[in-house]
Amino acid sequence: MSIAFVFPGQGAQTIGMGRDLAEAYPAARAIFDEVDDALGEKLSDLIWEGDIETLTLTQNAQPALMATSLAAMRALEAEGYGINTASYVAGHSLGEYSALAAAGAISVADTARLLRIRGAAMQEAVPVGVGAMAALLGLDFATATEVAKEAAQGEVCQAANDNDPAQVVVSGHKAAVERAIEIAKAKGAKRALLLPVSAPFHCALMEPAARKMAEALDQVDISAPAVPLVANVRAEGVDSAKVIRDLLVEQVTGSVRWRESVMWMAAQGVTEMWEIGAGKALSGMIRRIDREVATRNVGVAADIAGLKA
């Protein structure tokens, strides 16, 4: 049996996430304290007792989800399931930062600060209302890419997330994305709908954010991860610190190749993927990509109790 640890992206956030882990495991609590200290604010109060609208703001959701994932990782470690339990780590968009922190490539404090910068930079890159994202359900990636190209008409419209065989997200100028919805329906999409997001992530409109991330990443130490990272934009394992730094910049404007990443790990012999942190979205995608790969969720203390049992 070969295991991969995978880490969720934005959209998985909920009020109260990680709290029972912090109560059950001192090492998990220490992660939230470390993130609070790194950001100079009590993000943990917002996560556990705040309102979902504020938590969902990109600059809050990104470090909050990372903190929850790392708390789950510390709880796993306390029970004897360290990072070397996995053959690979991977994360969906911001989850890639959680994966790198879990694998020791970037410190937790630096990861929190990077994600605060990333969230703010992505939010500020495009004025509110100018961009949009839409989910195209029932179309494969090749067809969705054709839809985006046809819809662009001189504007930006790109296939941003290749999530699973029948779920692709497109991103770009709002008018172009709205055209993509109509074109997708004409091409047989089961559903095509705008997503409730605040900016058009993973497309060329994010170039200002990519420049800011390049500057921010130059200021932090990045080491080779303890186990290889399956990078979003490569959909294959990498372990070079320099390559990882470059790919994190490329990731801001590049497609999240999640379907291919799961397929690549399965081809390397991975038979189980453990979703570390909030929600179960990645597990659902993984099952739709390859039914032979088993999934396990590690997001609350009961999940770890079940693992021990």
Side-chain angles (χ1 to χ4, degrees):
M1 180 179 70
S2 178
I3 296 168
F5 289 166
V6 299
F7 297 82
Q10 206 162 333
Q13 65 274 0
T14 58
I15 295 298
M17 62 184 182
R19 188 168 198 161
D20 75 325
L21 291 169
E23 291 170 349
Y25 294 93
R29 175 71 211 212
I31 288 290
F32 289 103
D33 292 341
E34 188 172 357
V35 170
D36 287 350
D37 289 344
L39 297 179
E41 65 182 72
K42 293 287 283 184
L43 184 66
S44 58
D45 284 352
L46 172 60
I47 298 170
W48 295 335
E49 299 172 355
D51 64 272
I52 190 64
E53 290 80 10
T54 305
L55 180 61
T56 298
L57 292 174
T58 304
Q59 63 265 32
N60 292 328
Q62 295 200 13
L65 285 161
M66 181 278 295
T68 303
S69 286
L70 266 291
M73 192 69 229
R74 292 292 182 268
L76 274 177
E77 290 167 354
E79 298 294 354
Y81 299 96
I83 190 64
N84 290 316
T85 303
S87 300
Y88 300 98
V89 293
H92 192 282
S93 191
L94 86 89
E96 194 155 273
Y97 285 80
S98 305
L100 287 166
I106 310 176
S107 73
V108 172
D110 279 342
T111 304
R113 288 188 286 263
L114 284 170
L115 286 173
R116 172 54 58 82
I117 293 167
R118 183 179 184 266
M122 292 172 85
Q123 186 63 62
E124 294 164 4
V126 181
V128 174
V130 171
M133 299 181 79
L136 311 183
L137 307 180
L139 298 183
D140 62 23
F141 185 69
T143 304
T145 301
E146 291 173 8
V147 167
K149 188 174 181 180
E150 184 178 339
Q153 297 180 20
E155 294 184 310
V156 171
C157 189
Q158 294 173 230
N161 295 1
D162 182 9
N163 285 335
D164 64 43
Q167 184 190 124
V168 181
V169 174
V170 295
S171 181
H173 285 106
K174 187 176 182 182
V177 171
E178 289 173 340
R179 287 192 292 270
I181 288 173
E182 297 310 312
I183 294 167
K185 289 176 180 176
K187 288 184 180 288
K190 291 180 180 177
R191 290 184 70 200
L193 65 159
L194 286 172
L195 295 176
V197 296
S198 54
F201 306 133
H202 298 293
C203 75
L205 294 177
M206 287 288 111
E207 183 57 40
R211 291 194 295 271
K212 288 184 181 178
M213 287 311 299
E215 294 171 4
L217 285 159
D218 278 343
Q219 304 303 310
V220 302
D221 292 327
I222 300 180
S223 307
V227 298
L229 169 78
V230 181
N232 284 183
V233 296
R234 284 268 187 95
E236 63 182 17
V238 295
D239 57 12
S240 159
K242 181 184 183 306
V243 170
I244 287 169
R245 190 187 304 269
D246 293 343
L247 294 180
L248 287 174
V249 176
E250 186 180 342
Q251 186 224 56
V252 178
T253 56
S255 297
V256 176
R257 297 168 61 185
W258 187 252
R259 176 182 59 87
E260 292 177 272
S261 295
V262 171
M263 291 171 61
W264 187 88
M265 287 186 280
Q268 311 312 305
V270 170
T271 54
E272 280 196 23
M273 297 186 187
W274 296 9
E275 185 169 2
I276 313 294
K280 299 181 179 181
L282 296 185
S283 297
M285 293 177 195
I286 291 162
R287 287 192 293 271
R288 290 189 290 273
I289 294 164
D290 188 339
R291 292 182 180 278
E292 298 300 312
V293 176
T295 59
R296 184 184 293 274
N297 295 97
V298 184
V300 296
D303 294 333
I304 298 174
L307 184 64
K308 289 164 61 181

